[in-house]
Amino acid sequence: MPELPEVETVVRSLASTITGLTVRSHRISWAGTTRGTDPGLWKELCGREILRLSRRGKMILMEFTAGLTLLIHLKMTGQLLLVPGRKPRDKHTHFILRFAGRTDELRFRDVRKFGFVRCVRSDVLPGLREIRDLGPEPLELDFRSFGLIFKNKKGRLKSRLLDQKALAGIGNIYADEMLHRARLHPLTRAGSLREPELKRLWKSMRRVLREAIKHGGSSIRDFRDSSGAEGEFQVRHRVYGRERLPCPGCGLEIRRIKVGGRSSYFCAACQKKARRPARGRSRTV
DNA sequence: GCCACTGTTAGCAT
DNA sequence: CATGCTAACAGTGG
C-alpha cells in the first residue's frame, strides 16, 4: 500500500519524533524481517544515535552514528509505529527498537511479511541494488528529463510509471490517479507520447504526489503514519478503487482492467489512447 | 469452504 | 536488453 506519498508521510512523522534518540535495545520477533543483515551489526547499533530520516523512492533510510543505517521497505502492508512500550504486541509485530530514556518504542508491523528492516554500514548503501537501481525522484525531475523516460519505450504507459528503475516511488494508486488527471489511457504505448501529453502527465504527476503528501497519503486498508493516524487522500481519489462509480470529470462509469497484472481504474471517455494523426490522408490539397 | 483479490517487486520466462 | 507473468504471504470479501 505505501507508495511515495505514504512513505514520505511516515518519514516526516518519524523524523520529528525520533531524530536524536539513542538506541537502547532491539528485538527481532520474526527473523525474516531482518533478512540481508549481518547479525553482528545489531550489537553495534546499540548506543547509536539517530542522525537523520530520509526517503528514496519507497525506501526509508534511518541513519545512525558510527556509520550505520537501517534500510526499511514497507512493501504492501508494513507499518512503522511509535507506541507506548506497555501496549501489547500483536502477532504481526516483527521488529522493535527501544530508546534511552524513553518508554515508547518503534515497532515494525507487517501482516504479509514482504517488508524488511535491514541494517547495513552506511558506506555500502550507494552500491546496494535496492538503492542503486532506483530511477530519479519524480518531484525532483525537470520536464525535459521526464520526457526521456518514455522515449522509444514499447511497453504500456502505466507499466512504465510503475517501473522503479524508470521513476522511483510511484505505485498502483498514484499511477491511476495521475493518468486520469492527465487524460491518458493506461494502455497507451509509453513511446507514443508527444510534448502535449508529456506535459499533462508531468504536471499531473507533480500535482497528485504533492497533494497526496499534503493530505498524509491514502489509507485504503492498512496504511497508518507513525502515530497510527490514517491518511486523508483516499477521499480525493478520482478513479482508484471506484469501479462502476461515476467519473468526476464526465459522469461515465469508471472501468477496471488489468495492465501488467495490476488492477487499473480509468474513465474510457476522459482517457483516450494518444492517437497519432493518420499520415497521408485527409489532405486538404 | 472456495476462489478472487490486495497498495510491491525479485526472479524467471519469453 | 526489454518486457511480461508469477510467487512470496496473510487477510478480506463474495
Side-chain angles (χ1 to χ4, degrees):
Chain A
M1 86 219 247
E3 309 180 21
L4 188 156
E6 288 74 30
V7 177
E8 181 68 22
T9 297
V10 169
V11 165
R12 289 184 185 185
S13 66
L14 271 181
S16 56
T17 49
I18 68 171
T19 302
L21 295 187
T22 297
V23 177
R24 171 160 51 92
S25 64
H26 78 286
R27 175 196 172 100
I28 301 169
S29 309
W30 186 68
T33 285
T34 59
R35 61 190 177 272
T37 301
D38 169 2
L41 282 185
W42 292 117
K43 58 177 176 293
E44 285 191 46
L45 192 63
C46 195
R48 305 310 175 190
E49 180 186 333
I50 299 179
L51 292 175
R52 197 166 84 96
L53 271 290
S54 60
R55 176 191 62 75
R56 180 74 177 91
K58 300 173 193 174
M59 301 270 348
I60 296 169
L61 297 153
M62 194 180 298
E63 295 174 51
F64 295 80
T65 50
L68 294 175
T69 296
L70 283 186
L71 194 62
I72 301 168
H73 200 305
L74 305 175
K75 290 290 180 90
M76 302 275 276
T77 54
Q79 300 174 331
L80 275 176
L81 301 164
L82 192 63
V83 300
R86 299 283 153 247
K87 186 173 178 178
R89 297 184 305 270
D90 70 357
K91 63 174 179 173
H92 302 301
T93 298
H94 307 309
F95 179 84
I96 300 175
L97 269 191
R98 299 189 194 83
F99 306 103
R102 301 280 295 221
T103 57
D104 51 4
E105 58 189 30
L106 183 67
R107 296 182 181 178
F108 180 81
R109 275 190 89 238
D110 187 9
V111 170
R112 291 179 74 175
K113 297 179 172 175
F114 292 169
F116 59 82
V117 177
R118 185 196 306 183
C119 187
V120 299
R121 298 205 184 276
S122 307
D123 55 6
V124 309
L125 269 179
L128 291 184
R129 209 170 17 83
E130 287 87 346
I131 298 292
R132 192 213 333 135
D133 291 349
L134 288 176
E137 284 294 322
L139 292 175
E140 294 172 8
L141 196 58
D142 62 85
F143 174 64
R144 190 58 57 190
S145 312
F146 177 77
L148 295 177
I149 289 172
F150 306 93
K151 195 174 179 183
N152 298 329
K153 290 295 176 272
K154 303 290 192 183
R156 305 298 184 175
L157 177 55
K158 176 169 175 182
S159 300
R160 192 71 183 145
L161 288 172
L162 292 177
D163 185 346
Q164 302 299 297
K165 294 187 280 305
L167 276 168
I170 296 172
N172 205 33
I173 294 175
Y174 297 101
D176 279 2
E177 292 297 319
M178 65 184 69
L179 284 170
H180 180 264
R181 284 163 177 78
R183 308 196 308 278
L184 293 168
H185 195 294
L187 289 175
T188 307
R189 293 290 171 185
S192 74
L193 298 193
R194 296 298 177 265
E195 183 97 357
E197 293 93 27
L198 286 169
K199 184 68 92 173
R200 295 208 304 272
L201 186 56
W202 184 70
K203 286 186 170 297
S204 298
M205 172 183 79
R206 296 175 61 82
R207 203 168 64 235
V208 166
L209 294 178
R210 296 170 91 155
E211 240 183 88
I213 291 170
K214 187 172 78 181
H215 292 278
S218 306
S219 293
I220 300 299
R221 165 165 274 162
D222 305 284
F223 175 68
R224 300 291 185 275
D225 73 8
S226 64
S227 73
E230 296 188 10
E232 306 285 351
F233 193 70
Q234 62 280 6
V235 304
R236 307 176 101 88
H237 290 174
R238 297 192 186 175
V239 288
Y240 183 82
R242 298 177 50 80
E243 187 180 17
R244 292 190 303 277
L245 292 173
C247 166
C250 73
L252 190 74
E253 281 196 1
I254 289 160
R255 292 177 46 198
R256 175 163 74 145
I257 60 174
K258 290 283 182 188
V259 179
R262 316 292 306 279
S263 266
S264 301
Y265 301 87
F266 73 106
C267 169
C270 297
Q271 297 171 257
K272 302 289 195 186
K273 289 187 206 176
R275 289 245 154 267
R276 306 270 56 83
R279 289 182 303 133
R281 290 201 273 150
S282 72
R283 296 285 300 256
T284 51
V285 185

